[in-house]
Amino acid sequence: MKALICEEPGRLALISRPEPERGAGEVLVRIRHVGICGTDFHIFGGKHPFLEYPRVMGHELSGTVEAAPEDSGLNPGDPVYIVPYLACGDCQACRIGLSNACVNIRVLGVHTDGGMAEMISVPVQNVVPTGNIALRDAAMIEFLAIGAHGVKRGAVSDRDRVLVTGTGPIGMSAVIFAKARGAHVTVMDMRQDRLAFARDRLGADAVLIADAGAEANARRLTGGDWFDVVIDATGAAAPIERGFGFLAHGARYVLLSVVRQNIAFSDPEFHKREATLIASRNAQPDDFAEVVAQMRAGRVPADALNTHRGALADGVALFQDWARPEAGVIKAILDL
């Protein structure tokens, strides 16, 4: 079968390798669509903290069943999406229901080879029927679930003023699900085009340019009260640290981003606000279900989010092109 492999930072290759053998309790899936994530671009750029090369990337996956255990309820040809977090089921985190933060977690395309390949074999519990969701759209469920999980972690409600910093796909997903909960959502970024998209296509209530005047503008926008929830999706240490300055008293700060560096903040300022700092890692089954429900309700503009498409066979050239900021990619999908 064909697979797209990142041999080392900055170098991709389309290779041939044997098809995987289906293990006990596993489902063999023929991949149809692969969403390209910021994680994949970080791997390509050598910036991911949890990875060894070479690696077949790809964790935003949809496809059709080739073979499945008899008692799985899955049949050949069934359209499915894949939950890419392979949890051990036995560790302390798994025992308390945090399989998304499993001590021994292996994420497809990060800790183990992923789905930028024609076939993959994964545990049956990681394979979910798409129902009436189109296969192309199903390849976007995972990244949307990341945002849904962060919004859930922040306990966002219709009483909250929410600031989402960073307008990549994960930040956009946070906007979608914060709006679905009825929150007043402001989005902050340096890119005018992304801010316009968040306002015009995702329903953001206000936008802020992340320039030197952002704090003053945010103070005016909130009447000096700042934000009840700040959700960082920038993927960079400096804006994460800056985000502490936008917290209202009693606010929650949700970090969707993960960076290699330590982050620092003013303890007196954080303490006097009695603020809460929250990590948000991966997603849980109810987050995936929330995405599907919102897709069915028409609250996810899938066509607008999927800005770029191409074939796996052209992946080497396409990936390098899509990695350029001027390419204007929101969500790119490789088709098989």
Side-chain angles (χ1 to χ4, degrees), residues 298-321:
R299 297 192 182 98
V300 178
D303 288 340
L305 290 168
N306 177 204
T307 54
H308 293 67
R309 294 180 70 179
L312 181 73
D314 301 321
V316 173
L318 288 173
F319 202 94
Q320 295 183 69
D321 179 56

Side-chain angles (χ1 to χ4, degrees), residues 255-305:
L255 300 187
L256 286 176
S257 295
V258 57
V259 295
R260 284 182 176 271
Q261 307 99 308
N262 292 337
I263 58 171
F265 56 91
S266 168
D267 182 61
E269 289 296 323
F270 189 73
H271 190 87
K272 79 179 185 182
R273 286 166 170 76
E274 200 175 48
T276 304
L277 181 60
I278 303 169
S280 183
R281 186 181 186 191
N282 300 326
Q284 296 173 320
D286 62 320
D287 303 311
F288 284 85
E290 172 70 5
V291 172
V292 171
Q294 297 298 346
M295 280 184 158
R296 288 174 175 159
R299 297 192 182 98
V300 178
D303 288 340
L305 290 168

Side-chain angles (χ1 to χ4, degrees), residues 42-88:
H42 286 158
I43 292 169
F44 179 63
K47 298 177 182 178
H48 198 283
F50 304 131
L51 187 118
E52 295 181 1
Y53 298 88
R55 178 65 69 225
V56 174
M57 299 179 293
H59 60 275
E60 300 178 3
L61 310 171
S62 66
T64 52
V65 173
E66 285 287 301
E70 289 185 1
D71 60 352
S72 66
L74 297 169
N75 298 296
D78 284 352
V80 295
Y81 68 87
I82 294 174
V83 177
Y85 322 127
L86 308 182
C88 72

Side-chain angles (χ1 to χ4, degrees), residues 82-111:
I82 294 174
V83 177
Y85 322 127
L86 308 182
C88 72
D90 296 322
C91 70
Q92 176 269 343
C94 287
R95 291 196 302 270
I96 63 172
L98 294 180
S99 58
N100 59 306
C102 169
V103 173
N104 306 302
I105 199 166
R106 293 180 302 133
V107 179
L108 295 176
V110 179
H111 306 94

